[in-house]
């Protein structure tokens, strides 16, 4: 979700109280796209504060459609949406975090996407797939997030390593070299708490594993999953990563000081490092996550959804089209630094000159996998995080995976 950051690792968000009575259209007969109307949109976090400028441009092209954007904090949006659906007072449209899709699809609250208007082939595959349940798409990808490896090149060179790690073996070797050369920790990994799953899923996918198998059941005790748990656990077992986690911890400062010279995260960290640790400009690189069978990250981000209760579906479709065109996606990248989900947007000037880091994330998006839209994703993720917490403290990966599988089977219908 939020740049696929969960609430615990999201940037500061805007928390705005919403009166449900003013949110939605209340359903009823559909209003034609060319009629005068107000389209209500909920957008989350920083996007909610920046979206109005973009929709103002849309209104210039569609003067009959007034767009009312309401910012909502990521930490309150779930309850707001659930309450709005129960009261049949939804907005017409909303930004929907990738890991939220499954629950709201299950609530039968979302309008299916018109696949004649929106084509899967226009978007990175994983961004589209995260919105699909039983062959039907319920959201149009807006922006994408994926994970890559950040590492200090200057400190690596001092430690005797002059090439980027491209395999799991090389990644652990670099972590050990950093620590031997004086780093407090060889790498940063989140061992527990909300969001810890995000430090592990790329290991699962790179090992050839899946969260949900082809049979629709969890696959958390597969050989690939156990291999991913074991590799991830190795950093804690060998003392290369810290076993305890402080909620709200931000690695940026320790990356700048060299205490934790390697970590995996999303594209927003490029800006954070530039703003907070300018002294290490040109002293670090961003590269694809190291490979086991493959180098495969995962995709988060946000999509645009239209609610079934909306009476303005035609106008909502027009706004969704506008926000997902290559040109608008490139403009949104300039404003928000959110990676475009539309592949053609990457040919726009704003992204062509983005440098090596941006090219890395483009490469990662090409091969990344989706987080499946699970109705009980929050409970599923919490179960994975509980297993990771045990494994980081020394529990046997295979035995823990077996227990996790039983728990997860009860969460997937």
């Amino acid at each position: 979700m939020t740049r696929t950051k969960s609430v615990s690792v999201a940037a500061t968000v805007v928390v705005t109280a919403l009166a449900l009575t003013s949110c939605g259209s209340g359903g009823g007969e559909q209003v034609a796209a060319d009629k005068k109307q107000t389209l209500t949109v909920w957008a989350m976090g920083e996007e909610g504060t920046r979206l109005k400028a973009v929709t103002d441009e849309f209104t210039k092209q569609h003067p009959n459609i007034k767009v009312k954007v309401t910012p909502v904090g990521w930490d309150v949006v779930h309850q707001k949406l659930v309450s709005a659906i129960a009261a049949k007072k939804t907005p017409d449209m909303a930004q929907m975090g990738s890991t939220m899709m499954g629950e709201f699809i299950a609530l039968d609250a979302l309008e299916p996407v018109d696949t004649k208007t929106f084509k899967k082939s226009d978007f990175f595959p994983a961004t589209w797939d995260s919105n699909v349940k039983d062959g039907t798409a319920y959201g149009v990808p807006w922006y994408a997030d994926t994970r890559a490896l950040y590492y200090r090149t200057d400190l690596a060179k001092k430690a005797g390593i002059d090439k980027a790690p491209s395999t799991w073996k090389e990644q652990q070797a670099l972590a050990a070299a950093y620590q031997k050369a004086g780093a407090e920790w060889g790498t940063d990994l989140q061992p527990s708490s909300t969001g810890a799953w995000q430090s592990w899923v790329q290991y699962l996918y790179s090992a050839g594993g899946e969260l949900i198998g082809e049979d629709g059941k969890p696959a958390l005790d597969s050989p690939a999953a156990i291999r991913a748990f074991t590799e991830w656990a190795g950093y804690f077992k060998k003392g290369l990563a810290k076993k305890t986690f402080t909620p709200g911890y931000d690695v940026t400062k320790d990356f700048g000081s060299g205490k934790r010279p390697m970590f995996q995260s999303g594209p927003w960290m490029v800006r954070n490092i530039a703003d907070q640790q300018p002294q290490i400009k040109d002293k670090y690189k961003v590269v694809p996550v190291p490979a086991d069978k493959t180098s495969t990250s995962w995709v988060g981000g946000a999509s645009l959804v239209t609610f079934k209760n909306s009476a303005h579906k035609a106008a909502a479709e027009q706004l969704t089209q506008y926000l997902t065109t290559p040109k608008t996606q490139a403009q949104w990248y300039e404003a928000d630094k959110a990676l475009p989900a539309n592949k053609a947007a990457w040919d726009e000037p704003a992204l062509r000159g983005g440098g090596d880091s941006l090219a890395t994330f483009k490469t990662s998006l090409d091969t990344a996998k989706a987080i499946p839209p699970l109705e009980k994703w929050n409970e599923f993720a919490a179960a994975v995080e509980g297993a990771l917490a045990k494994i980081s403290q020394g529990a046997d990966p295979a035995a823990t995976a077996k227990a996790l599988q039983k728990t997860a089977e009860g969460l997937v219908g």
Side-chain angles (χ1 to χ4, degrees), residues 69-147:
V69 178
T70 301
V72 190
W74 278 111
D75 55 345
V76 297
V77 65
H78 176 267
Q79 187 55 49
K80 295 291 185 183
L81 284 171
V82 170
S83 298
I85 291 166
K88 296 184 178 180
K89 296 286 187 180
T90 61
D92 297 301
M93 286 178 60
Q95 169 191 359
M96 184 72 73
S98 60
T99 57
M100 299 167 62
M101 287 296 301
E103 178 178 1
F104 291 98
I105 291 172
L107 287 172
D108 196 29
L110 307 180
E111 183 73 9
V113 171
D114 180 357
T115 53
K116 293 182 180 179
T117 301
F118 301 98
K119 305 291 186 182
K120 176 179 179 177
S121 58
D122 289 338
F123 301 93
F124 291 101
T127 64
W128 184 273
D129 292 344
S130 64
N131 298 322
V132 176
K133 184 72 173 180
D134 297 329
T136 300
Y138 292 90
V140 179
W142 183 24
Y143 67 75
D145 282 324
T146 188
R147 294 298 186 269

Side-chain angles (χ1 to χ4, degrees), residues 30-44:
Q30 289 297 306
V31 179
D34 59 353
K35 299 298 182 182
K36 188 173 182 179
Q37 59 194 290
T38 297
L39 186 68
T40 56
V41 182
W42 287 6
M44 291 43 154

